[in-house]
Amino acid sequence: MDPYEEKRRRMVERLREELNISDKVARAMMKVPRHLFVPKNYEREAYVDTPLPIGFGQTISAPHMVAIMCELLDLKEGEKVLEVGGGSGYHCAVVAEIVGKKGKVIAIERIPELAERARQVLKLLGYDNVKIVVGDGTKGYPEDAPYDKIYVTASAPDVPKPLLDQLKPGGRMVIPIGRYEQYLYIVDKDEKGNVRKRIWGPVRFVLLVGEYGFKD
Ligand code: SAM
């Protein structure tokens, strides 16, 4: 019996009312126990719609941001998805629920301790369609490229070229851009490889640090 089920249900209902999220995103968020992805002392706040500290100066994104990014990505069953900024592993668990057993999520995280913690929780919950990699996600992960969808959960100076190269024609990327003033962008690559970038709206993320990111 999950003692947080009722709180999780209320959180998802609020997200549905406020954001009009789709059934598939709501269902995925109802399945993933966010309280297991936050440090023990924040467990009771896990179903408040806010980012929470996960150590090393990083945060687990707010549930509404996870929901919005999943909607913007227009995720489908069976897709192969790259996440840059795996953090706690929560967001990639939600995506893993949506793409299902035939899909795959590869999450890159630059802080090894966070990656290890995420790996343990995801294993405990039985997510075998998820792979957590330690490294600089601004360079993408060519080993499993190309990807149907890519999303970045830390704010970049611009769209990193390797990520664009590793996106399939017809694919989509969702990425926050900016240091002090940040906007979430939707980046579409058409079948001919032409790229179209448009703004969704203002957001607040930690910075993406790396070769094609900020320099710390
Ligand atoms: N999606 C995460 C979750 O569900 O917990 C939240 C991620 S947090 C907002 C952003 C993460 O991006 C941090 O864990 C940070 O260490 C990571 N990060 C920053 N720069 C990175 C890079 N170049 N490569 C991989 N991860 C990076």
Side-chain angles (χ1 to χ4, degrees):
M1 173 61 195
D2 176 353
Y4 288 100
E5 193 175 330
E6 194 42 44
K7 280 190 170 188
R8 188 158 64 248
R9 188 181 311 285
R10 284 205 296 273
M11 177 190 82
V12 174
E13 273 164 18
R14 269 197 308 276
L15 291 176
R16 265 185 184 287
E17 283 164 20
E18 288 162 18
L19 303 172
N20 205 9
I21 57 173
S22 62
D23 286 348
K24 71 177 163 192
V25 172
R27 220 178 296 128
M29 293 186 74
M30 190 56 221
K31 280 215 179 138
V32 182
R34 189 173 188 252
H35 63 279
L36 297 184
F37 291 86
V38 300
K40 204 82 188 126
N41 52 325
Y42 285 106
E43 199 180 279
R44 286 163 56 195
E45 292 166 60
Y47 296 101
V48 179
D49 188 12
T50 182
L52 291 170
I54 53 172
F56 306 92
Q58 306 303 323
T59 52
I60 177 172
S61 305
H64 73 269
M65 195 36 67
V66 172
I68 287 168
M69 290 178 81
C70 287
E71 292 292 352
L72 293 176
L73 279 168
D74 189 23
L75 296 164
K76 298 189 181 72
E77 220 179 316
E79 286 187 329
K80 184 161 57 168
V81 183
L82 178 70
E83 173 182 48
V84 177
S88 68
Y90 172 73
H91 198 157
C92 90
V94 173
V95 173
E97 286 287 347
I98 301 172
V99 299
K101 295 270 178 219
K102 290 185 193 141
K104 191 164 184 191
V105 190
I106 294 97
I108 313 188
E109 171 54 52
R110 67 184 274 269
I111 300 173
E113 291 87 344
L114 289 180
E116 187 47 38
R117 209 188 292 156
R119 251 184 226 128
Q120 283 173 14
V121 186
L122 291 162
K123 188 170 175 216
L124 179 85
L125 293 171
Y127 286 102
D128 44 21
N129 56 345
V130 167
K131 177 158 97 183
I132 307 280
V133 180
V134 176
D136 177 5
T138 68
K139 297 193 272 191
Y141 189 66
E143 287 86 338
D144 279 313
Y147 301 97
D148 297 295
K149 307 282 164 65
I150 298 178
Y151 64 102
V152 183
T153 68
S155 196
D158 202 345
V159 181
K161 169 126 183 0
L163 297 185
L164 258 190
D165 293 343
Q166 291 169 33
L167 187 63
K168 270 187 196 168
R172 173 172 286 184
M173 184 184 335
V174 172
I175 177 170
I177 294 178
R179 182 189 279 272
Y180 304 111
E181 202 179 341
Q182 303 177 353
Y183 292 93
L184 192 63
Y185 281 76
I186 302 167
V187 182
D188 286 314
K189 187 193 251 190
D190 71 15
E191 296 296 342
K192 291 183 184 151
N194 300 316
V195 173
R196 190 168 77 114
K197 194 171 146 197
R198 58 202 153 105
I199 287 184
W200 174 79
V203 286
R204 189 80 214 141
F205 279 89
V206 295
L207 295 184
L208 185 73
V209 178
E211 189 172 329
Y212 296 84
F214 290 104
K215 304 294 175 224
D216 233 340

